[in-house]
Amino acid sequence: MNDFSRRKVLKVTAAAGAGAVVAQGLAATEAYGASAVKEASPNAECPPAKLTGRIVRPDDAGYTDARLGWDQLISRYPLVIVFAQNTQDVVNALTWARQNDVALRVRSGRHNTEGWSNIDNGLVIDISELKSVDIDSAARVATVGAGLNQLEAVTTLAEQNFAVTTGTEGSVGLSGATLGGGLGFLTRWIGMACDSLIGAEVVVAEGAECAKVVKADLHNNPDLLWALRGAGNGNFGIVTSLTYKVAPLRSVTYLQATWDGIGDLSRIFEAYQRTAPYTDDRLGTQLEIHRNQILLFAVLAEGTPAEAKKLLAPILSVDSPQVSVQVGNWGDVYAGFQIPIADEPANWKFFSQFARKPFPRKAIDVISSFMRDAPTDDSNFFVQAFGGAVRKSPRGGTAFPHRDALFYSEPGAGWGTRSDQPGVCDPLTSQAQAWIAEFSQALRPYVDGAYVNVANIGMQDWETAYWGSNFDRLRTIKAEYDPHNVFKYEQSIPPASC
């Protein structure tokens, strides 16, 4: 998921990445062996599987912490949660679920905006503890465990002056963000996160009740690699490691501008959409509107403060914003603008959209009207400029279809206080949900498509909104790797019928 839209970034505060949940689970039983990894015939049976890894069940002391997601508006009660410690734990868990006819979900960073990475009375396979990093500096290739979150990935790569595109919220899982496309400050410079993905290790269903490990790259299962580049997490299998082509990045200039009030929104927005999608490809920007202020965030890769201010001059010349500039290693800058989860609202609701044409004055007036009536200060509307490298597909292509967008946009509502008793009805919930629904509907004439990483529940044409003309090919690939539709959720890709 994205990004600054979930909170205003007004202070510089270093924050540690979201650590592993500490839960005292039941002792893992003995693994049933490596046979499940082997190739199996369609009718083969597997030895009875046992769950391995760090296992948490409802009667364990750490169950509440283990089941909760980032968005406390959504509360699920799984039958069992397996925190995989290695790929074999994932194989065992998938096989066990199939043999016992238990529904399953795949979870990484717990940021699924509709809670679809969790499930009542089912099995959650959590890969967040698969944390490893192997960087080949000479080849500019990094292979990482699928459990890294974005903060861990950015800071680790930055220690060796490398980068891949990530979203801006550090606690979001790197794998989930990448598999849905992955957009952020480096998008215009080096493309979507999925564009840098050149390989993956994936646990897939096999036969009637088995599981196996496959590789996906340009030489092995290239159709699966294409699908993983934008189809979203948990559609074809369980990704346990990802291999990226990384870009060298020694330093960035980070600029933040703040306008008090939103009286100048029309002039600022017009200047933004005339400038940000067309400027130097090294410059990534996000414009964020709250009910009492407007914020501009910008990252210039390998650039100076003077360059950043010059490139942004058409926007910064509107009124007299407060401007701050920081130069440094990308990892340090990225860590500096994180806000601890404990300081964020408990409840969130979003609606994802893409714009292929500049917003006319009527659309900007809609934004202004709704933001003046926003339910909380944390609620906001933001746009992130596309263009640049987004328009270039990598070798092998991707399932991400929105490359011709001018910018991504997203209204978001945040409200409520975090607690250890989530799910209690908040008096603002109905107001916030109605505000998002009405806001997104009012913008429909000016936007197109949706972002699978920020799911739009209730959208009738979600298949084409997320994937456009790629949907039929995704269904064909689904039928090849998951013909029994083991990996399914409310808006998952169904296999093509014969």
Side-chain angles (χ1 to χ4, degrees):
M1 292 8 52
N2 225 30
D3 295 1
F4 277 59
S5 61
R6 299 177 184 171
R7 62 260 200 311
K8 56 185 177 182
V9 184
L10 298 178
K11 60 182 179 180
V12 175
T13 173
V21 174
V22 179
Q24 192 65 38
L26 298 178
T29 52
E30 182 179 358
Y32 70 86
S35 59
V37 183
K38 297 178 181 178
E39 294 284 343
S41 66
N43 298 316
E45 294 184 358
C46 299
K50 296 180 180 180
L51 297 178
T52 59
R54 187 166 70 84
I55 302 169
V56 181
R57 300 183 188 274
D59 57 352
D60 290 328
Y63 177 74
T64 297
D65 286 340
R67 72 174 182 83
L68 286 179
W70 170 78
D71 187 349
Q72 293 192 349
L73 180 66
I74 303 162
S75 189
R76 302 277 191 267
Y77 294 85
L79 175 70
V80 59
I81 305 167
V82 171
F83 290 89
Q85 306 299 298
N86 51 51
T87 299
Q88 186 63 50
D89 292 340
V90 176
V91 172
N92 295 349
L94 177 54
T95 305
W96 181 90
R98 301 190 72 199
Q99 290 178 343
N100 291 280
D101 194 24
V102 175
L104 65 90
R105 296 292 169 87
V106 183
R107 188 175 72 176
S108 54
R110 308 195 194 193
H111 278 257
N112 186 285
T113 55
E114 293 298 338
W116 294 338
S117 61
N118 204 343
I119 187 171
D120 289 321
N121 301 315
L123 169 65
V124 173
I125 303 176
D126 188 298
I127 52 85
S128 64
E129 294 179 8
L130 298 179
K131 297 184 187 293
S132 61
V133 179
D134 182 12
I135 302 174
D136 184 336
S137 298
R140 296 180 179 176
V141 170
T143 298
V144 303
L148 289 187
N149 63 34
Q150 294 186 140
L151 176 61
E152 293 165 336
V154 169
T155 54
T156 301
L157 290 174
E159 288 175 358
Q160 298 194 36
N161 294 320
F162 289 121
V164 294
T165 298
T166 67
T168 51
E169 189 158 345
S171 61
V172 168
L174 177 68
S175 59
T178 299
L179 298 176
L183 53 92
F185 280 131
L186 304 183
T187 302
R188 302 186 67 255
W189 180 48
I190 55 177
M192 307 293 294
C194 68
D195 295 349
S196 298
L197 183 67
I198 59 173
E201 179 185 79
V202 192
V203 177
V204 298
E206 173 73 356
E209 61 176 25
C210 304
K212 68 175 182 178
V213 181
V214 300
K215 301 290 185 182
D217 55 39
L218 291 175
H219 305 290
N220 302 284
N221 304 301
D223 56 342
L224 181 57
L225 175 66
W226 176 88
L228 294 176
R229 290 170 164 176
N233 199 9
N235 265 306
F236 303 94
I238 305 166
V239 173
T240 52
S241 75
L242 307 104
T243 299
Y244 295 90
K245 187 70 174 179
V246 296
L249 178 60
R250 300 188 63 86
S251 70
V252 302
T253 290
Y254 173 63
L255 182 146
Q256 177 178 320
T258 305
W259 289 263
D260 292 332
I262 61 173
D264 284 322
L265 176 59
S266 181
R267 295 170 61 207
I268 294 168
F269 201 100
E270 287 282 9
Y272 180 84
Q273 65 182 359
R274 288 197 315 267
T275 304
Y278 308 105
T279 189
D280 192 313
D281 290 355
R282 294 174 300 153
L283 186 67
T285 58
Q286 185 161 298
L287 185 69
E288 183 171 306
I289 300 100
H290 293 259
R291 64 184 182 184
N292 54 10
Q293 63 183 345
I294 300 170
L295 304 168
L296 172 68
F297 307 99
V299 171
L300 179 62
E302 305 291 6
T304 66
E307 286 181 289
K309 290 180 179 178
K310 182 178 180 180
L311 292 170
L312 294 167
I315 310 169
L316 298 178
S317 63
V318 179
D319 201 0
S320 302
Q322 303 171 34
V323 179
S324 63
V325 182
Q326 177 185 355
V327 180
N329 173 273
W330 175 226
D332 295 335
V333 170
Y334 187 92
F337 58 60
Q338 300 302 311
I339 290 179
I341 290 177
D343 294 343
E344 295 186 317
N347 310 308
W348 292 93
K349 191 69 176 177
F350 311 98
F351 200 92
S352 63
Q353 308 159 322
F354 291 91
R356 287 170 170 77
K357 296 179 180 179
F359 277 180
R361 180 60 184 266
K362 287 183 179 180
I364 300 171
D365 288 344
V366 167
I367 297 167
S368 178
S369 175
F370 274 90
M371 288 315 308
R372 292 183 191 280
D373 293 331
T376 63
D377 287 342
D378 288 293
S379 302
N380 64 81
F381 175 84
F382 87 91
V383 292
Q384 188 170 93
F386 268 32
V390 180
R391 300 190 182 278
K392 305 172 185 176
S393 293
R395 182 185 171 200
T398 74
F400 181 80
H402 306 292
R403 297 186 179 276
D404 60 340
L406 196 65
F407 51 78
Y408 171 76
S409 69
E410 181 185 295
W415 71 98
T417 303
R418 292 185 178 272
S419 72
D420 57 0
Q421 294 183 327
V424 177
C425 183
D426 188 292
L428 276 178
T429 296
S430 59
Q431 177 187 344
Q433 291 180 325
W435 180 80
I436 280 286
E438 293 169 6
F439 195 172
S440 58
Q441 181 66 24
L443 283 175
R444 285 197 68 177
Y446 314 107
V447 296
D448 179 40
Y451 184 33
V452 68
N453 279 352
V454 183
N456 292 345
I457 192 170
M459 175 177 278
Q460 291 185 350
D461 59 343
W462 55 269
E463 302 95 336
T464 53
Y466 295 145
W467 300 297
S469 61
N470 291 333
F471 183 62
D472 287 343
R473 182 180 177 187
L474 287 169
R475 291 194 63 192
T476 300
I477 296 171
K478 174 78 167 183
E480 179 180 355
Y481 291 92
D482 186 21
H484 299 293
N485 205 20
V486 175
F487 298 98
K488 60 183 176 181
Y489 52 90
E490 286 77 352
Q491 289 182 349
S492 60
I493 298 168
S497 56
C498 298

